[in-house]
Amino acid sequence: DQQVKQNSPSLSVQEGRISILNCDYTNSMFDYFLWYKKYPAEGPTFLISISSIKDKNEDGRFTVFLNKSAKHLSLHIVPSQPGDSAVYFCAAISSGSARQLTFGSGTQLTVLP
Amino acid sequence: EAGVVQSPRYKIIEKKQPVAFWCNPISGHNTLYWYRQNLGQGPELLIRYENEEAVDDSQLPKDRFSAERLKGVDSTLKIQPAELGDSAVYLCASRVGTGNSGANVLTFGAGSRLTVL
């Protein structure tokens, strides 16, 4: 049973436009959420996170939105750049889990020049 | 600051052969994780160490997998014998703190890609 779901395996966006990556979760105990970016042949690198007590966190071109009632979060990238092309993983931590990450299956973002 | 270092980066073996992966976490990071990432999926936890103690190995297939973290720094993950289904990327990660304290963010290494023929 997948507790963190990324239903879109891939997404293509034109350079300069907005990229929106979505993530749904089922475990109500999740209280911290992270997005990781992964380039080929590299490990996942941390991008941005959000605590369940917030509904938005912004860092430069990246904004994460959390809708707890819908158990849904999204990552917005504005404006998208070709260097943003990578696999994006949504991950969640449940309280008391010693920071154990539960990952989604990832979304391949391709930003077209 | 040096990141999480893993070796080898790539390994191709025949089934039933043994294989070992090595991880050097970031200095001062008390907690170390081994994850496995199958093709098209997200990483899944195999084992978590706090210092030298394996505190969560519930997802580790203990019949063929073993791990150790001597002196609470470097760690090795071993598979013996390897099976076709073990083909995956094995990721090591570390963070500051232990248990429910410390950093929320894990830093990952580049991974070791295993192909079992």
Side-chain angles (χ1 to χ4, degrees):
Chain A
D1 177 33
Q2 264 196 308
Q3 298 185 63
V4 178
K5 300 178 184 179
Q6 294 177 257
N7 292 319
S8 298
S10 62
L11 174 68
S12 292
V13 172
Q14 208 69 34
E15 180 178 6
R17 308 294 286 266
I18 185 171
S19 295
I20 300 177
L21 294 92
N22 294 304
C23 177
D24 297 294
Y25 63 95
T26 58
N27 189 340
S28 299
M29 296 299 291
F30 289 147
D31 62 357
Y32 198 85
F33 302 89
L34 307 90
W35 285 93
Y36 278 81
K37 178 170 70 174
K38 185 181 184 304
Y39 292 117
E42 295 185 13
T45 56
F46 171 72
L47 186 58
I48 192 170
S49 63
I50 188 167
S51 166
S52 61
I53 63 173
K54 297 185 175 180
D55 54 18
K56 176 182 174 181
N57 188 28
E58 192 171 353
D59 183 2
R61 296 186 297 114
F62 302 91
T63 303
V64 56
F65 295 91
L66 175 62
N67 182 334
K68 283 202 306 181
S69 61
K71 293 191 175 66
H72 177 84
L73 65 157
S74 60
L75 174 67
H76 292 210
I77 306 173
V78 181
S80 301
Q81 300 173 352
D84 295 330
S85 297
V87 177
Y88 289 77
F89 289 100
C90 172
I93 296 173
S94 63
S95 58
S97 72
R99 309 294 195 264
Q100 178 175 329
L101 292 177
T102 300
F103 283 89
S105 55
T107 297
Q108 171 70 59
L109 173 66
T110 302
V111 180
L112 305 168
Chain B
E1 163 181 88
V4 177
V5 179
Q6 292 188 245
S7 68
R9 292 294 313 277
Y10 304 92
K11 189 74 175 179
I12 301 174
I13 61 173
E14 293 190 346
K15 63 181 181 182
K16 301 185 181 180
Q17 294 299 305
V19 63
F21 305 112
W22 174 80
C23 172
N24 178 236
I26 293 174
S27 177
H29 281 201
N30 315 84
T31 300
L32 182 147
Y33 307 78
W34 282 101
Y35 280 82
R36 176 169 59 187
Q37 184 181 9
N38 292 312
L39 189 64
Q41 298 181 22
E44 295 180 328
L45 180 70
L46 290 174
I47 188 168
R48 171 171 61 93
Y49 280 92
E50 291 182 2
N51 298 305
E52 68 277 3
E53 183 181 0
V55 295
D56 183 359
D57 63 357
S58 58
Q59 304 302 314
L60 191 72
K62 298 182 185 61
D63 56 337
R64 298 182 300 105
F65 286 65
S66 64
E68 61 181 10
R69 191 184 185 198
L70 300 177
K71 300 181 182 178
V73 181
D74 295 358
S75 177
T76 57
L77 177 69
K78 298 178 181 177
I79 309 174
Q80 181 171 11
E83 297 180 351
L84 296 176
D86 296 331
S87 295
V89 175
Y90 291 84
L91 293 161
C92 180
S94 67
R95 70 173 178 96
V96 173
T98 58
N100 294 308
S101 65
N104 282 319
V105 176
L106 276 60
T107 302
F108 284 84
S112 296
R113 179 178 293 277
L114 172 66
T115 301
V116 182
L117 303 177

